[in-house]
Amino acid sequence: MKNPHLLPLLLLSLATPAGLALAAETPPVLGGLDALYPDLDALYRDLHQTPELSNQEAKTSAKLADRLRKLGFEVTTKVGGHGVVAVLRNGPGPTVMLRADMDGLPVQEKTGLPYASKATVKDAAGATTSVMHACGHDVHMTAWMGTATLLAHAKDRWKGTLMLVGQPAEEVAAGARQMLQDGLFKRFPKPTHALALHVNTAPAGTVEYRAGYALAGADSIDITLHGKGGHGAYPHATVDPVVMAARVVLSLQTLISRERHPLEPAVLTVGAIHGGTKNNIIPDDVKLQLTLRWYKPEVRKALLDGIERIVKAEAMASGAPRPPEVTVTEGTPSVYNDPALTQRLVGAVSRVLGEQQLQETDPVMGGEDFAEYGRAGIPAVLLWLGSTEPQRHAQAKAKGQELPSMHSPLFAPDRERTLRTGVTTLTTAALELLDKP
Ligand SMILES: [Zn+2]
Ligand SMILES: [Zn+2]
């Protein structure tokens, strides 16, 4: 990727305050966006000020369901938790699924915006916590609702079935699976294509894409190492699980540095290590918690096998009284953007936004459970929606500064430009896939 963000900036700075100089091929359906925008802006501010945590999205899902019902969608709520499925049948043709995630994060907002979230909720453990749409899921919901509204008002311009999926619990990598297990593709039409947007820190007004693997698969792994506790002054009478854990942590690094093909990315992080109570006591056990990131299922398998092998071997080398426990809590598969579908959508969106507004980007090691829909056999594409105010992006880039990214208490999308680009992108992509009348 050369210098992908400068040209869009120049063009954006010439555009209207709304920030979008649309190309000549604007679909007539998008003509309604200017009139609709104030309503979407109000929806965004409302969602931003009333975030809910994963699997607690009761009010959010009710608001979305209500609006979609009024637009004429057949709406089903409580699908896999607080999931919303809204179907608009408009004659024969493909079924296009648009997914928006609905959950916020336990983050205390520090943007200072007039519509900043002051919300607090009780988390799953009953503790009071601040909550914020720090991952931009409010942007996703608003853009999705904008597209639903424009397409519902222009049923003479397309044929097929539009399926809007409001997904709960993305941040805990559970919601997509919950909805699939609750019959998402059995009780409702099985989509021919699935699309989603996710914000990123690229300049607002731009869209980034990656064909093929785009986001990593993620697993959580819990390890318990068993030793034999005793007095810290008499180590010869113990089997020290702290030393065992230290060896395990170092040996695990060789899975990436020595066993992985250098061109097949993977990450292994030991994020937590718990053991012991006091300076002079050798504990019985030590627990480790790992995250694993990968793209290809065969890489995942090799790493999981390697973790098991190293942990068992280090325990044996230490003379552990019993074998260690290794538990894999499956997170999410990797997001694989169907390459042909990606190219088709990029072509369509670039004819509307302008070619210079779309950039290919690198895959990332973050995860997204949108991956589940692809794994369920639906050709799927997730596009990145730029959200940083363009001047601010340019200044940060010039100074080599990091911008507040998703999950930061300072994450503040450039609201109007981001929302308008989101609606434009999602609507254009849906129209590309739906049949023409
Ligand atoms: Zn997130
Ligand atoms: Zn997110």
Side-chain angles (χ1 to χ4, degrees):
M1 207 163 62
K2 281 159 276 173
N3 205 350
H5 298 145
L6 291 182
L7 185 56
L9 285 181
L10 286 172
L11 290 164
L12 274 172
S13 61
L14 299 172
T16 59
L20 276 185
L22 295 182
E25 268 194 57
T26 307
V29 174
L30 282 165
L33 179 53
D34 284 341
L36 178 63
Y37 184 76
D39 179 50
L40 292 180
D41 193 83
L43 172 65
Y44 172 79
R45 287 165 182 253
D46 175 37
L47 292 170
H48 190 78
Q49 288 177 297
T50 55
E52 295 172 292
L53 288 181
S54 307
N55 276 328
Q56 298 184 4
E57 308 90 343
K59 290 183 193 137
T60 306
S61 58
K63 278 176 206 168
L64 301 181
D66 187 46
R67 278 180 172 253
L68 291 163
R69 246 178 236 118
K70 285 179 183 147
L71 289 170
F73 284 77
E74 293 162 41
V75 179
T76 309
T77 55
K78 299 196 169 59
V79 181
H82 292 294
V84 177
V85 181
V87 177
L88 188 61
R89 291 172 213 270
N90 190 24
T95 296
V96 177
M97 167 177 151
L98 308 179
R99 177 272 217 166
D101 38 9
M102 303 189 292
D103 49 337
L105 285 162
V107 170
Q108 186 174 10
E109 179 159 358
K110 292 181 182 150
T111 60
L113 288 167
Y115 53 92
S117 167
K118 297 183 183 72
T120 58
V121 294
K122 291 243 192 281
D123 67 16
T128 300
T129 176
S130 297
V131 54
M132 172 186 177
H133 270 301
C135 202
H137 297 185
D138 47 356
V139 172
H140 310 162
M141 287 185 276
T142 308
W144 174 91
M145 188 62 75
T147 292
T149 309
L150 293 177
L151 290 176
H153 288 161
K155 285 172 80 178
D156 54 329
R157 302 248 174 216
W158 57 276
K159 280 272 166 278
T161 298
L162 194 58
M163 178 171 165
L164 270 87
V165 172
Q167 187 207 295
E170 189 282 324
E171 293 291 353
V172 293
R177 202 171 306 147
Q178 286 168 203
M179 292 191 82
L180 288 166
Q181 283 170 355
D182 201 7
L184 179 62
F185 295 158
K186 298 196 182 91
R187 292 162 58 194
F188 307 98
K190 188 162 183 174
T192 45
H193 310 86
L195 306 178
L197 299 176
H198 203 298
V199 292
N200 73 359
T201 57
T206 69
V207 169
E208 294 189 330
Y209 61 93
R210 179 77 195 184
Y213 290 112
L215 288 113
D219 292 288
S220 296
I221 298 140
D222 292 333
I223 297 170
T224 304
L225 298 166
H226 300 291
K228 183 176 159 226
H231 200 299
Y234 309 106
H236 54 282
T238 72
V239 176
D240 188 344
V242 172
V243 174
M244 203 189 304
R247 282 190 182 146
V248 166
V249 171
L250 290 178
S251 294
L252 287 175
Q253 307 307 311
T254 62
L255 285 174
I256 306 295
S257 67
R258 302 291 81 192
E259 295 188 26
R260 237 358 39 241
H261 190 294
L263 299 180
E264 284 184 342
V267 176
L268 187 161
T269 292
V270 181
I273 174 163
H274 296 288
T277 52
K278 192 173 183 296
N279 312 51
N280 60 356
I281 299 175
I282 291 168
D284 279 330
D285 308 310
V286 170
K287 290 182 193 296
L288 305 175
Q289 294 185 305
L290 282 59
T291 187
L292 199 61
R293 304 292 166 121
W294 43 272
Y295 293 113
K296 295 182 180 169
E298 56 268 32
V299 171
R300 171 179 188 256
K301 183 174 186 315
L303 285 166
L304 290 176
D305 290 349
I307 290 169
E308 183 106 18
R309 171 169 47 86
I310 284 175
V311 171
K312 278 186 182 159
E314 291 294 357
M316 192 185 283
S318 305
R322 55 198 173 97
E325 283 131 37
V326 180
T327 316
V328 182
T329 333
E330 197 187 9
T332 51
S334 41
V335 173
Y336 183 79
N337 283 332
D338 183 88
L341 185 59
T342 308
Q343 289 314 323
R344 187 175 165 196
L345 296 180
V346 165
V349 175
S350 65
R351 286 192 289 279
V352 176
L353 283 183
E355 230 171 81
Q356 69 289 343
Q357 301 302 94
L358 274 88
Q359 299 289 340
E360 187 169 20
T361 190
D362 291 328
V364 297
M365 298 312 285
E368 235 286 359
D369 74 354
F370 180 68
E372 296 282 358
Y373 308 112
R375 191 162 72 165
I378 314 295
V381 172
L382 180 144
L383 295 171
W384 294 110
L385 179 65
S387 72
T388 307
E389 198 278 314
Q391 304 288 348
R392 190 171 173 221
H393 187 277
Q395 283 162 5
K397 208 171 165 70
K399 291 182 190 157
Q401 290 168 342
E402 284 291 321
L403 288 156
S405 73
M406 287 83 73
H407 293 207
S408 158
L410 298 172
F411 179 66
D414 182 9
R415 197 174 77 245
E416 181 164 357
R417 240 186 289 253
T418 304
L419 291 174
R420 282 176 176 266
T421 310
V423 177
T424 303
T425 301
L426 206 53
T427 307
T428 305
L431 283 170
E432 168 68 21
L433 299 174
L434 291 161
D435 280 351
K436 315 284 170 280

